[in-house]
Amino acid sequence: GNSVTQMEGPVTLSEEAFLTINCTYTATGYPSLFWYVQYPGEGLQLLLKATKADDKGSNKGFEATYRKETTSFHLEKGSVQVSDSAVYFCALGRSGNTPLVFGKGTRLSVIA
Amino acid sequence: EADIYQTPRYLVIGTGKKITLECSQTMGHDKMYWYQQDPGMELHLIHYSYGVNSTEKGDLSSESTVSRIRTEHFPLTLESARPSHTSQYLCASSEGSFSGNTIYFGEGSWLTVV
């Protein structure tokens, strides 16, 4: 079945550093791909998504490109802020009428 | 801003007690979900619903039960709580296709069983 693998954390960066969080997937067909973010003490919220190959999702300075050839959807941001400290989840749709599959989450800590 | 509410946010109860975690959404979404989130952050889908009178078990076996009598309401019940049930529980909802649309999450209910 469809699955996602994302890099393990925690990831600790200094403010203004470049961020990459890797996400690769295994899927039949062409599922939509998502990044969700969970800030401390809150539920998850959608950060960005892409629905077909070569699509780029972007939001709040974060970007991810749906790469079919490498089955990847890596999350990037050029200059992180302390306020970006959170847990990031990669997710994809499954075949059939069933809910999304989530990765295990990557905790990001940004220090001033 | 998502309109999905969970109560209680924090609960400490004794072993053997019955508890119900409430979840309500005001968006008219047909799909609703319960996830269990362990301290390592991983999310486990434990129940979901396609709509009224529909409930399905998720990927992780759970001793909890759910009901969906009204569109906006999706409570989760533990008949006899145990320390192994200590966790955070996240309720969520979405509309339309499972695979293409945004899922909206509540802020979570932290359950501690002592």
Side-chain angles (χ1 to χ4, degrees):
Chain A
N2 292 5
S3 65
V4 288
T5 302
Q6 62 181 106
M7 65 186 280
E8 292 190 22
V11 174
T12 302
L13 294 173
S14 297
E15 212 165 19
E16 299 183 6
F18 184 86
L19 168 71
T20 301
I21 300 178
N22 291 338
C23 172
T24 57
Y25 66 90
T26 303
T28 53
Y30 304 101
S32 296
L33 294 167
F34 305 82
W35 277 100
Y36 279 80
V37 59
Q38 184 178 29
Y39 297 105
E42 299 182 11
L44 282 72
Q45 58 185 271
L46 179 68
L47 181 60
L48 54 84
K49 71 177 184 181
T51 57
K52 60 183 189 297
D54 300 325
D55 263 5
K56 178 186 281 189
S58 61
N59 186 25
K60 299 182 181 181
F62 291 88
E63 293 183 339
T65 302
Y66 190 155
R67 302 259 188 229
K68 184 160 117 10
E69 63 278 9
T70 54
T71 60
S72 65
F73 193 56
H74 304 323
L75 182 68
E76 297 181 335
K77 186 175 186 184
S79 176
V80 294
Q81 305 301 312
V82 171
S83 57
D84 294 326
S85 298
V87 181
Y88 293 82
F89 293 88
C90 185
L92 85 162
R94 293 192 240 207
S95 54
N97 193 24
T98 51
L100 299 185
V101 175
F102 283 88
K104 293 186 178 182
T106 302
R107 185 180 298 280
L108 169 67
S109 295
V110 181
I111 53 177
Chain B
E1 192 78 17
D3 295 319
I4 181 161
Y5 307 101
Q6 292 186 236
T7 57
R9 290 291 315 279
Y10 303 93
L11 179 64
V12 180
I13 62 167
T15 297
K17 299 291 186 186
K18 176 180 179 179
I19 62 129
T20 296
L21 303 181
E22 303 287 350
C23 177
S24 295
Q25 49 98 3
T26 58
M27 297 170 284
H29 288 169
D30 54 343
K31 311 289 193 298
M32 294 192 75
Y33 316 78
W34 277 103
Y35 290 86
Q36 186 174 337
Q37 187 170 29
D38 61 27
M41 308 169 301
E42 189 171 359
L43 288 173
H44 302 283
L45 179 67
I46 51 175
H47 300 282
Y48 63 101
S49 168
Y50 293 100
V52 171
N53 294 324
S54 140
T55 61
E56 302 288 337
K57 292 193 180 296
D59 302 316
L60 180 68
S61 175
S62 173
E63 293 166 346
S64 59
T65 59
V66 292
S67 62
R68 189 89 184 274
I69 298 170
R70 303 199 314 264
T71 296
E72 63 271 21
H73 197 213
F74 193 43
L76 180 144
T77 298
L78 278 165
E79 290 292 335
S80 179
R82 296 208 299 270
S84 61
H85 297 137
T86 295
S87 190
Q88 180 177 206
Y89 293 86
L90 291 169
C91 182
S93 71
S94 67
E95 62 178 348
S97 160
F98 275 123
S99 62
N101 293 319
T102 302
I103 299 177
Y104 295 90
F105 284 81
E107 292 187 312
S109 293
W110 283 97
L111 173 64
T112 302
V113 184
V114 296

